[in-house]
Amino acid sequence: MAKDKRIIAVGGDHTIALPMLRAVNKVHGPVALLHFDAHLDTWDTYFDEPITHGTMFRRAFEEGLLIEDKSMHVGIRGPVYDQDDFLRDHEFGFQIIRRTDIDDIGVPAAIAKVRERLGNTPVYLSVDIDVLDPAFAPGTGPPEMGGLHSRELLRLLRGLNGINIVGADVVEVAPAYDHTDITSLAAATVVFDMMGLMVNSGSLRPNENDYRLEVPAV
Ligand SMILES: [Mn+2]
């Protein structure tokens, strides 16, 4: 993979993020991980297995694939199985914007926090489709209530314009559990937006907000 090439994986099991991070590291070195998900995916083991779709980001940290204190989870909610889960995650240098934080601070402030943390570092963007509410993405393994609306996810992604995204994935789409292709539509739209972000990566193209209509105060 040449340095000017960027890669997107579509799936499928989230474990694919680990070999993707290894491949991206070979070209770009350690990256910041921007991870949209209902779950942390930094457990030590899952069903006693060290490499699964609930553990791969701990393995990535242990392998030195992530820049410490640059990575973030966005959209976290749902069950936590051990009270140490958040403690361990913090020790791996992750910062968390929970789904409820977005309710409290709003999408523009969440975008500002993400942009401030990522800066100009090379970024791997991983979107687990279960970050969306099951109303928008029912076709996934562990659907969790109270997720992002699709319009919130798209606006968060579009707020990353100019960030240096060197690799990405959209994962955990399970067509067997989908209906009316709604989950696939969400995933395909996210991939389309990722390609747009990669085209603008590292450039200083204006943000869509620069074109926003001025709405007079009522
Ligand atoms: Mn996941």
Side-chain angles (χ1 to χ4, degrees), residues 91-166:
E91 287 172 359
F92 305 141
F94 283 90
Q95 200 175 70
I96 300 174
I97 298 178
R98 296 168 299 181
R99 197 278 169 264
T100 48
D101 294 331
I102 297 171
D103 291 337
D104 293 341
I105 67 175
V107 171
I111 291 170
K113 280 185 180 296
V114 171
R115 295 186 70 93
E116 183 187 344
R117 186 158 168 91
L118 297 179
N120 297 320
T121 53
V123 173
Y124 185 85
L125 172 61
S126 186
V127 176
D128 186 322
I129 207 69
D130 76 19
V131 77
L132 291 176
D133 191 90
F136 303 93
T140 189
E144 304 283 3
M145 296 299 287
L148 293 181
H149 292 214
S150 48
R151 71 178 182 215
E152 290 174 314
L153 177 59
L154 292 181
R155 192 160 176 211
L156 283 161
L157 291 173
R158 289 168 190 182
L160 301 176
N161 204 20
I163 294 285
N164 186 20
I165 297 166
V166 296

Side-chain angles (χ1 to χ4, degrees), residues 30-139:
V31 293
L33 170 67
L34 178 58
H35 173 216
F36 288 82
D37 203 315
H39 315 94
L40 298 171
D41 294 353
T42 53
W43 288 327
D44 189 20
T45 59
Y46 191 35
F47 297 111
D48 293 330
E49 293 293 335
I51 296 180
T52 74
H53 72 164
T55 62
M56 68 286 173
F57 290 139
R58 184 184 294 215
R59 298 290 94 78
F61 176 79
E62 291 168 349
E63 291 182 21
L65 305 177
L66 307 180
I67 303 171
E68 205 168 343
D69 292 326
K70 279 289 181 189
S71 295
M72 293 186 93
H73 307 288
V74 181
I76 299 299
R77 62 190 189 283
V80 173
Y81 292 97
D82 190 299
Q83 54 189 352
D84 282 346
D85 283 358
F86 285 107
L87 183 63
R88 295 282 97 78
D89 189 82
H90 182 69
E91 287 172 359
F92 305 141
F94 283 90
Q95 200 175 70
I96 300 174
I97 298 178
R98 296 168 299 181
R99 197 278 169 264
T100 48
D101 294 331
I102 297 171
D103 291 337
D104 293 341
I105 67 175
V107 171
I111 291 170
K113 280 185 180 296
V114 171
R115 295 186 70 93
E116 183 187 344
R117 186 158 168 91
L118 297 179
N120 297 320
T121 53
V123 173
Y124 185 85
L125 172 61
S126 186
V127 176
D128 186 322
I129 207 69
D130 76 19
V131 77
L132 291 176
D133 191 90
F136 303 93

